[in-house]
Amino acid sequence: IIYHLVTAVILAIIIIVVAVPEGLPMMIAVVLSLNMRKLLRANVLVRKLLGIETSGSLNILFSDKTGTLTTAQMGVENIIGDDEIIEYAAAVERFSSHPIAESISKLDSHRTASDFVVHPGKGAEATVDERRVAVGSKSLFALLNWKVDAQVELALSKLNCAEEVISYVGWDGSIFGAIITRDQRRPEWKQFVNQLQQDKHVVLLTGAEHQSGYEDQVDELYVGVPPEAKAAVIRQFKSSGSVVMIGDGNNDAPAIAEADLGIAFGVPTSLAAEAADVVIPRGSLDQVFIAFELIEITRRRIRQNIGWAFLYNAFAIPLALSGLLNPLLAALAMATSSFLVVWNSSRKILKPD
């Protein structure tokens, strides 16, 4: 009885030693930790490993416009209205971190605002000199039910604002002026989109109300989309494939969080960076392809390690059950399997510079 009991204990020990699932817990951590310096040098910061592990084969890409396809360095092109328009608008926009607001806030510093309220994707309002002043898109004033002054409409109709952004300025229930700003497109944006379209469906998703010049370059274009609707569009497309969202602002954060893989790009706000799986700060759009390469290689290593662990256990466990392995050989087999997993995971994931 004692002999059989000892034999059973030894056999149990052998099976436990052989069958430890070593591949799964170490595969992602080793791949990324041993290559983190290389990734940082490539300007790619991985914040959430789960996003990389579960993102799948990315075949639908959403991109925001401002700060992603453009530089987010807005410049004021034209002003409709007098100095009061400038002073009121600058006072309100001083509280906002949006690139458009930053460019307008630099126009004047004489007045101050209070009771600031932001309308995500539309604009903002605040109290200036006991007046309730609003600055933003036409959708903001439609929400507030404010009227557009006829002279403002006439002046805008004479301008060609195909790519510019119109920020209306109003108070006391009416729009009395507008400030026109323009962003600079990144030099590489067309090449970036064309390369993406080789294996991805590219969608431009922006809160701006018109985007002339982009509709012929992307597969689909959504304009005038508020932040909550961006997330809804992402959710709808997830039923058709694995979705990645690239953006930089607070307005993009819900969509970045909703996507299978979220990328905060350029000079992301804290909300966008917090929602993202990968952050590419102050980089070129080419950096996005490095991130995709990282994800694909990491997932390939995961599959390789799982495959090896499966094959190892498929052979080792039957041998252990049959009694053909002693504890020493079981430990040696386990150590060899772990070594192979670590070696495969620690191979460089990016080519040398």
Side-chain angles (χ1 to χ4, degrees):
I1 295 176
I2 295 176
Y3 171 78
H4 291 297
L5 180 60
V6 171
T7 301
V9 171
I10 292 175
L11 184 60
I13 292 173
I14 293 172
I15 294 172
I16 291 172
V17 171
V18 165
V20 173
E22 77 290 337
L24 189 59
M26 70 173 68
M27 56 186 64
I28 300 177
V30 174
V31 169
L32 292 179
S33 63
L34 295 183
N35 289 278
M36 192 58 66
R37 182 178 298 179
K38 182 71 175 180
L39 294 174
L40 291 176
R41 285 172 57 192
N43 209 31
V44 176
L45 174 62
V46 178
R47 293 195 66 257
K48 300 175 183 177
L49 302 182
L50 184 61
I52 291 179
E53 183 182 358
T54 61
S55 58
S57 179
L58 301 167
N59 51 19
I60 302 173
L61 182 135
F62 282 82
S63 174
D64 175 52
K65 179 187 73 73
T66 304
T68 305
L69 298 184
T70 68
T71 62
Q73 297 174 352
M74 307 293 295
V76 176
E77 296 284 313
N78 210 330
I79 298 173
I80 297 174
D82 54 19
D83 291 343
E84 198 171 36
I85 293 292
I86 298 173
E87 293 171 5
Y88 280 179
V92 173
E93 297 288 57
R94 201 171 297 125
F95 288 89
S96 176
S97 61
H98 193 279
I100 296 175
E102 290 180 358
S103 65
I104 294 176
S105 67
K106 295 176 183 178
L107 295 175
D108 184 81
S109 59
H110 290 91
R111 299 180 189 265
T112 58
S114 60
D115 301 325
F116 178 78
V117 176
V118 64
H119 297 271
K122 296 181 176 67
E125 58 176 308
T127 300
V128 183
D129 293 346
E130 298 184 354
R131 284 177 168 172
R132 197 61 185 170
V133 181
V135 183
S137 65
K138 186 173 286 188
S139 61
L140 169 63
F141 292 93
L143 177 68
L144 298 175
N145 199 26
W146 289 15
K147 299 179 180 180
V148 183
D149 185 85
Q151 291 184 347
V152 175
E153 289 280 35
L154 179 62
L156 285 173
S157 67
K158 296 178 181 179
L159 299 176
N160 180 18
C161 298
E163 297 188 32
E164 290 80 2
V165 178
I166 302 173
S167 297
Y168 294 90
V169 184
W171 55 85
D172 297 338
S174 297
I175 298 173
F176 296 108
I179 299 177
I180 294 91
T181 55
R182 181 169 181 166
D183 200 355
Q184 298 297 319
R185 298 182 180 184
R186 293 183 184 271
E188 72 275 21
W189 81 270
K190 282 189 179 180
Q191 181 181 356
F192 171 72
V193 172
N194 290 337
Q195 189 171 345
L196 284 171
Q197 287 177 320
Q198 294 177 9
D199 61 355
K200 292 176 177 62
H201 184 79
V202 180
V203 183
L204 182 60
L205 191 63
T206 176
E209 294 180 330
H210 58 87
Q211 293 306 324
S212 176
Y214 289 95
E215 62 274 11
D216 295 331
Q217 299 296 325
V218 297
D219 297 309
E220 291 189 53
L221 173 63
Y222 291 80
V223 299
V225 185
E228 63 278 5
K230 286 185 178 182
V233 174
I234 295 285
R235 199 175 302 118
Q236 178 182 352
F237 271 81
K238 285 173 72 174
S239 61
S240 303
S242 188
V243 176
V244 55
M245 171 68 190
I246 305 175
D248 71 320
N250 290 343
N251 296 340
D252 305 318
I256 291 174
E258 180 64 36
D260 296 299
L261 179 73
I263 298 178
F265 179 81
V267 187
T269 63
S270 57
L271 282 179
E274 183 66 26
D277 303 295
V278 175
V279 179
I280 305 177
R282 299 183 181 276
S284 161
L285 288 172
D286 294 336
Q287 244 61 49
V288 174
F289 295 107
I290 295 179
F292 288 159
E293 183 182 1
L294 153 70
I295 292 165
E296 178 55 34
I297 294 176
T298 300
R299 288 179 55 81
R300 190 185 309 142
R301 300 282 171 83
I302 293 172
R303 293 192 296 267
Q304 289 169 350
N305 287 346
I306 290 177
W308 165 249
F310 176 80
L311 289 174
Y312 164 79
N313 286 322
F315 284 97
I317 292 177
L319 289 175
L321 288 171
S322 66
L324 296 178
L325 289 180
N326 60 43
L328 180 60
L329 289 177
L332 182 60
M334 181 62 217
T336 302
S337 176
S338 297
F339 171 78
L340 289 175
V341 168
V342 172
W343 172 80
N344 185 54
S345 300
S346 61
R347 288 185 295 133
K348 288 186 177 180
I349 58 176
L350 293 175
K351 297 178 181 179
D353 295 332

